[in-house]
Amino acid sequence: MLIQLSHDIGGYLYDVFVARADLWLALGLFGQALFAMRFVVQWLASERAGRSVVPVAFWFFSIGGGVITLVYGLYRREPVIILGQALSVLIYVRNLMLIRRSGQRESESA
């Protein structure tokens, strides 16, 4: 039973990551890597500050990873990815707009 399970899992992983490998898969993985980098950036910035912070680079990685993953989802016709990333990218852009507006207010009051 365990041997059969290991063969089934191996066959599944081969099918998902090797047999279906193409440039679109590479693009999707690249988008996910960009998306994951935002957490590394946020973690390092928080460690340096000694408190939880969200640097601007977090939002740029979010947008980059989100847009690339959205394109991948559109090509693959994956409704879960499309719905999740379409709204998320708008939220990331809005956060950058709010950060910019906040920076303009601070410079005007100084």
Side-chain angles (χ1 to χ4, degrees), residues 3 7 11 32 42 54 89 93 98 110:
I3 293 173
H7 285 281
Q32 281 299 108
Q42 191 273 332
V54 180
V89 169
V93 170
L98 292 171

Side-chain angles (χ1 to χ4, degrees), residues 34-43 57-59 61-62 92:
L34 277 179
F35 200 69
M37 281 304 299
R38 68 194 192 130
F39 292 111
V40 173
V41 166
Q42 191 273 332
W43 171 51
F58 177 91
W59 300 112
F61 276 112
S62 297
Y92 307 147

Side-chain angles (χ1 to χ4, degrees), residues 1-16:
M1 182 170 149
L2 287 177
I3 293 173
Q4 182 60 42
L5 180 61
S6 69
H7 285 281
D8 291 344
I9 292 171
Y12 172 81
L13 293 175
Y14 178 83
D15 182 52
V16 170

